Amino acid sequence: MNGNALRTAAVGLAAVAALLLYASAFTVSQTQQALVLQFGRVRTVLNQAGTDRPGLYFKIPFFETVVLFEKRLLDLDLPVQTVLSADRQNLEVDAFARYKISDPLRFYQAVNNIPVANQRLSSFTNAAMRNVLASASRDAIVRTQREGLMNRIQEDVNRQAKNLGIEIIDLRLTRVDLPAANSQAVYGRMQTERQREAADLRANGERDAATIKARADRDVTVLVAEANQKADQLRGEGDAQRNRILAEAFGQDPDFFAFYRSMQAYEKGLTGTETRLVIGPGSDFFRYFNDPQGRPRAAAAAPGAPASGQ
């Protein structure tokens, strides 16, 4: 009987020891940071950057509790808000941020959990965006100085988030647009300006085209006139040279020259299907048809007759 009681007591003690061991042991992974609280007072911080390592740890069961926090980057999605730029333009800004818990003790004391931290960070970020973007123009926010403005907003938020044990790693303006009504008005104004520019370019092009065409027509007229003048000059020189050659040939052999000119007249006068000549057969035009020597018809009929003047 005593043996059974002792065995039961030993089993009970082993169970209590196992329960106490289970209640006192806890693990901290590489992606977590931990606070060990003793009656609500922070006793130690585990796996904080530059301190302890992840692994198995022990606490006093029922007297100490463990609060775990993320060591990885956390996302903060901000709602779209309307801000006023320096040139009095309303802009719809959409942004997001990534942050980490840099000081878990301060984080626990200031906000205690991530939802509350997100609310505080949203408030800080919205206020920083309004203050920074209010000092810049629309073009600077949208195009020219966007990166510098984002850095300024991140610095302002970090100064306030440091008191929460939080560090902003990255902050981006994902979308910066005009409100829908303003966007339509700006689009219409831009379209009108582009149409005016297109009309100006088209008018300038037509003017330049007319100028180029007029200059080309003038150059063509000058070139044609100069070419005709040169052609007439060369033609006159050619005719003069031809006449000179013909005159020299006529002086050397008048009979052959007369025969040659008559052959040319026959070639020009008797070619073509529409040639009509009303000439008597005794005309001088046909004298080489009647006599190879080209003598008049009366002289050719009496070859034995003495020549006139003999």
Side-chain angles (χ1 to χ4, degrees):
M1 188 71 178
N2 292 331
N4 293 333
L6 291 175
R7 190 178 302 109
T8 302
V11 172
L13 290 175
V16 171
L19 180 62
L20 291 176
L21 180 63
Y22 177 79
S24 62
F26 66 95
T27 58
V28 180
S29 69
Q30 293 180 345
T31 61
Q32 293 176 329
Q33 305 176 88
L35 292 178
V36 180
L37 307 178
Q38 190 176 61
F39 298 111
R41 181 178 60 85
V42 177
R43 179 176 68 83
T44 184
V45 180
L46 300 176
N47 200 26
Q48 188 179 5
T51 59
D52 302 301
R53 296 180 179 179
L56 179 65
Y57 292 91
F58 294 94
K59 62 182 177 63
I60 302 174
F62 310 114
F63 293 96
E64 294 181 343
T65 58
V66 178
V67 180
L68 299 175
F69 297 106
E70 276 287 346
K71 196 175 182 180
R72 295 172 293 185
L73 295 182
L74 301 172
D75 293 332
L76 176 64
D77 290 327
L78 299 168
V80 178
Q81 64 172 329
T82 302
V83 299
L84 186 66
S85 64
D87 51 356
R88 315 300 296 174
Q89 295 287 334
N90 286 323
L91 299 174
E92 292 184 350
V93 181
D94 190 6
F96 77 93
R98 290 189 176 93
Y99 69 94
K100 68 177 182 179
I101 301 174
S102 58
D103 188 345
L105 176 58
R106 183 173 293 182
F107 181 85
Y108 177 76
Q109 293 172 344
V111 293
N112 188 263
N113 56 61
I114 291 178
V116 176
N118 287 341
Q119 293 179 1
R120 298 286 298 276
L121 284 178
S122 297
S123 177
F124 294 161
T125 305
N126 292 336
M129 280 196 300
R130 291 192 184 94
N131 294 333
V132 173
L133 298 183
S135 63
S137 65
R138 182 191 65 184
D139 291 340
I141 297 172
V142 175
R143 295 182 300 176
T144 58
Q145 301 177 14
R146 186 164 181 167
E147 184 174 358
L149 294 172
M150 289 190 298
N151 293 334
R152 287 176 53 189
I153 295 171
Q154 182 174 338
E155 292 173 359
D156 288 350
V157 177
N158 263 329
R159 279 194 293 269
Q160 302 177 72
K162 186 177 181 180
N163 297 326
L164 306 181
I166 294 173
E167 179 184 359
I168 302 295
I169 304 300
D170 188 22
L171 189 145
R172 298 287 173 179
L173 303 180
T174 57
R175 184 177 64 88
V176 180
D177 289 329
L178 292 170
N182 293 355
S183 298
Q184 189 63 30
V186 170
Y187 174 76
R189 185 169 63 253
M190 292 174 61
Q191 186 178 23
T192 302
E193 292 176 356
R194 298 300 177 271
Q195 290 176 350
R196 185 178 67 252
E197 291 178 1
D200 293 340
L201 292 174
R202 191 177 295 109
N204 293 335
E206 292 175 354
R207 181 196 61 196
D208 294 341
T211 302
I212 294 172
K213 184 177 180 181
R215 187 182 299 114
D217 292 341
R218 183 194 63 191
D219 294 342
V220 168
T221 302
V222 172
L223 290 174
V224 170
E226 291 177 352
N228 289 333
Q229 180 182 3
K230 187 67 174 178
D232 293 338
Q233 182 180 356
L234 294 176
R235 190 179 298 109
E237 293 176 356
D239 291 341
Q241 187 175 3
R242 183 194 62 178
N243 293 332
R244 180 179 56 80
I245 295 172
L246 292 177
E248 292 177 357
F250 179 75
Q252 294 178 2
D253 191 348
D255 293 336
F256 176 77
F257 182 75
F259 175 76
Y260 177 73
R261 295 299 300 271
S262 295
M263 293 301 104
Q264 287 184 331
Y266 295 156
E267 181 181 5
K268 293 182 179 180
L270 300 179
T271 56
T273 59
E274 297 181 357
T275 302
R276 297 291 186 271
L277 295 176
V278 182
I279 301 175
S283 172
D284 288 341
F285 183 76
F286 295 108
R287 60 180 177 168
Y288 283 99
F289 282 84
N290 298 322
D291 182 54
Q293 300 297 327
R295 292 174 298 179
R297 188 170 184 181
S308 61
Q310 292 183 353

